[in-house]
Amino acid sequence: MDDQSVSRTLLTIYHQLMARYGPQYWWPAQEPFEIIVGAILTQSAAWGNVEKAIANLKSAKVLSPEALRHLTLPEVAGLIRPCGYYNAKSLKLKSLAHWLGEHHDDDLSKLFANNIDSLHQQLISVYGIGQETADSIILYAANKPVFVIDAYTRRIISRLGLAPDSNNYTAYQNLFMHNLPADAQLFNEYHALLVCLGKNVCRNHPLCHQCCLNSICYFGMKIA
């Protein structure tokens, strides 16, 4: 498939998902630091449990880098217990809080003033932040156009017959970023819509008869 065909197909997928599910209004948060914390807490966790953990941090008035630095690891772990892996994630949050203070004076505008590549490299240098989490922060907190790749996206794109030759994060990301306009709002909605489809229909055991992409899905057509 040539680049123009890939671009048309990706846009068709987006428009069909939007027609089916509508805007997703991601990321559900009140301010950028909450988005960053949520991006870490959502690792291997259901979003409903992440919301409970964030609510605990808000109730304790510690949803800021400075406040988190003053808590002990067990104190942070106790507050974020609902999201699972709370001991590991408490260390990640503490590492983030210390890094923001040491390198950016807790000023997210300084951090977000960096270009995408620099921002990505800085974020993945922080303990507990990998490629997907870093790109979630860049897209949803910094509002910069980078496409987030997660397990849902890989599964859906593979079933649609659009998987890149290489099965790595960058190859999947380039599929979108080289074939779509560099638009943060487009990437925001597109990723959120793919997550919606992956959670509700394109599961490990897919509900293909409910899928709005059935007519263009190689996997769906094979099992129909």
Side-chain angles (χ1 to χ4, degrees), residues 92-145:
K92 294 176 183 182
L93 290 184
K94 291 279 286 182
S95 298
L96 169 71
H98 283 292
W99 179 80
L100 282 172
E102 291 171 8
H103 294 274
H104 297 284
D105 302 317
D106 291 341
D107 187 346
L108 292 181
S109 64
K110 288 184 180 180
L111 173 62
F112 295 158
N114 289 278
N115 64 39
I116 290 173
D117 289 340
S118 175
L119 187 50
H120 183 89
Q121 290 304 314
Q122 289 186 59
L123 287 169
I124 62 173
S125 74
V126 181
Y127 173 77
I129 296 182
Q131 288 182 296
E132 181 185 336
T133 301
D135 286 341
S136 294
I137 293 168
I138 295 168
L139 176 61
Y140 292 108
N143 195 35
K144 293 179 183 285

Side-chain angles (χ1 to χ4, degrees), residues 41 73-78 80-81 83-94 127:
L41 296 184
L73 283 171
E75 286 172 333
V76 177
I80 65 171
R81 180 179 286 268
C83 71
Y85 300 100
Y86 45 85
N87 288 323
K89 290 177 183 179
S90 64
L91 181 56
K92 294 176 183 182
L93 290 184
K94 291 279 286 182
Y127 173 77

Side-chain angles (χ1 to χ4, degrees), residues 21 37 60 64 78 93 103 106 112 148 150 179 181-182 196 201 220:
Y21 296 108
V37 169
S64 71
L93 290 184
H103 294 274
D106 291 341
F112 295 158
V148 179
D150 56 21
N179 292 290
C196 182
V201 177

Side-chain angles (χ1 to χ4, degrees), residues 31-196:
E31 48 89 23
F33 187 68
E34 182 180 339
I35 295 174
I36 296 174
V37 169
I40 291 173
L41 296 184
T42 198
Q43 296 170 0
S44 302
W47 182 251
N49 292 330
V50 173
E51 288 182 317
K52 293 174 185 176
I54 290 176
N56 288 345
L57 293 170
K58 287 182 176 180
S59 295
K61 301 187 186 309
V62 293
L63 192 56
S64 71
E66 182 179 8
L68 286 172
R69 284 196 295 272
H70 286 93
L71 294 180
T72 65
L73 283 171
E75 286 172 333
V76 177
L79 290 168
I80 65 171
R81 180 179 286 268
C83 71
Y85 300 100
Y86 45 85
N87 288 323
K89 290 177 183 179
S90 64
L91 181 56
K92 294 176 183 182
L93 290 184
K94 291 279 286 182
S95 298
L96 169 71
H98 283 292
W99 179 80
L100 282 172
E102 291 171 8
H103 294 274
H104 297 284
D105 302 317
D106 291 341
D107 187 346
L108 292 181
S109 64
K110 288 184 180 180
L111 173 62
F112 295 158
N114 289 278
N115 64 39
I116 290 173
D117 289 340
S118 175
L119 187 50
H120 183 89
Q121 290 304 314
Q122 289 186 59
L123 287 169
I124 62 173
S125 74
V126 181
Y127 173 77
I129 296 182
Q131 288 182 296
E132 181 185 336
T133 301
D135 286 341
S136 294
I137 293 168
I138 295 168
L139 176 61
Y140 292 108
N143 195 35
K144 293 179 183 285
V146 64
F147 206 97
V148 179
I149 301 300
D150 56 21
Y152 295 121
T153 302
R154 287 174 181 265
R155 181 194 304 154
I156 293 166
I157 290 301
S158 295
R159 286 175 175 171
L160 286 166
L162 294 172
D165 292 334
S166 180
N167 189 36
N168 60 50
Y169 186 97
T170 301
Y172 273 87
Q173 187 175 67
N174 286 342
L175 175 72
F176 290 92
M177 296 190 65
H178 290 174
N179 292 290
L180 292 173
D183 183 323
Q185 186 57 38
L186 171 64
F187 290 175
N188 178 320
E189 282 292 353
Y190 206 146
H191 174 244
L193 287 164
L194 288 170
V195 171
C196 182

